[in-house]
Amino acid sequence: MPTIDDEQYGVVIDAGSSGSRLHIYGFNLNPESSENQEVALKSVPKIITKENWNYKISPGLSSFEHNTENAYKHNIEPLLEHAESIIPKSQWSKTPIFIQATAGMRLIPEKKRNKILENLCSNLQKDRKWLMQSCEAQIEVIDGEVEGVYRWLSLNYLSGFFDDYQEDTYKLHESFG
């Protein structure tokens, strides 16, 4: 049975064109707390999410193209306030935040896009509630190929294809996509 110290969280904000979506994920990286340690050591961590761990607001991040200084306050901050109601306060500073903007942000001029990303970075660093080790790595505009890779990973994770990996049978592993 996992202890409270074994529980970890991650936050991903999908900043799309029609809105920004918060996704909270819980997981346990301690295979010793797993019922089947042998399988746990050969599998990706079991990710837990609940219905109220997802939250969407509109409009999307790209709508702040002409008002870049309000991007954090009116788009990201409300999502993180929802995360605060889910994740225990003792875990906030250990919880990484990833903001990944997609199509809408790809369409606005680079100068405006960079101002929005800088606004998010400076506010998250000033706030210091969440784990922000590298703005460049944790706040980004991703291209369509990366979106596709994330879809492939999600589909195959949910289908169990990353569980109980056996090195000697790696050629036999299936995947979708």
Side-chain angles (χ1 to χ4, degrees):
M1 175 70 77
T3 67
I4 199 88
D5 294 335
D6 294 331
E7 294 177 15
Q8 296 182 20
Y9 298 89
V11 172
V12 176
I13 296 175
D14 173 359
S17 55
S18 66
S20 293
R21 294 154 203 85
L22 169 80
H23 302 283
I24 299 172
Y25 300 100
F27 52 93
N28 178 356
L29 293 178
N30 183 359
E32 294 173 9
S33 65
S34 174
E35 288 179 23
N36 189 340
Q37 290 179 18
E38 187 176 325
V39 171
L41 287 169
K42 297 176 182 175
S43 304
V44 294
K46 178 160 175 48
I47 297 172
I48 298 164
T49 189
K50 298 180 181 175
E51 189 174 332
N52 68 330
W53 288 16
N54 300 301
Y55 184 66
K56 179 183 177 183
I57 62 167
S58 294
L61 190 58
S62 59
S63 68
F64 293 92
E65 174 183 359
H66 302 293
N67 193 8
T68 58
E69 66 279 353
N70 284 323
Y72 178 81
K73 182 165 182 56
H74 295 294
N75 194 267
I76 302 302
E77 190 173 56
L79 296 172
L80 294 178
E81 287 172 356
H82 184 78
E84 289 173 11
S85 72
I86 306 292
I87 299 171
K89 188 173 186 171
S90 63
Q91 295 295 319
W92 293 355
S93 65
K94 301 173 192 172
T95 301
I97 302 290
F98 296 92
I99 301 172
Q100 299 196 317
T102 55
M105 286 288 285
R106 289 194 294 260
L107 296 174
I108 66 173
E110 185 177 2
K111 202 172 200 177
K112 297 280 189 171
R113 181 172 55 230
N114 289 339
K115 281 189 171 190
I116 291 172
L117 298 178
E118 289 167 11
N119 175 265
L120 303 183
C121 177
S122 65
N123 279 284
L124 281 166
Q125 288 179 328
K126 182 174 60 176
D127 192 21
R128 301 181 65 103
K129 283 184 186 175
W130 306 97
L131 181 59
M132 180 58 60
Q133 294 177 314
S134 166
C135 287
E136 292 77 26
Q138 291 177 248
I139 304 171
E140 61 185 335
V141 178
I142 61 173
D143 63 27
E145 286 183 31
V146 172
E147 282 188 82
V149 168
Y150 285 147
R151 286 190 179 115
W152 179 84
L153 285 168
S154 298
L155 174 64
N156 286 283
Y157 171 83
L158 293 171
S159 299
F161 290 132
F162 300 141
D163 294 341
D164 197 17
Y165 175 77
Q166 303 292 322
E167 188 174 343
D168 56 337
T169 61
Y170 73 94
K171 292 179 183 176
L172 302 177
H173 281 273
E174 298 179 63
S175 75
F176 289 127

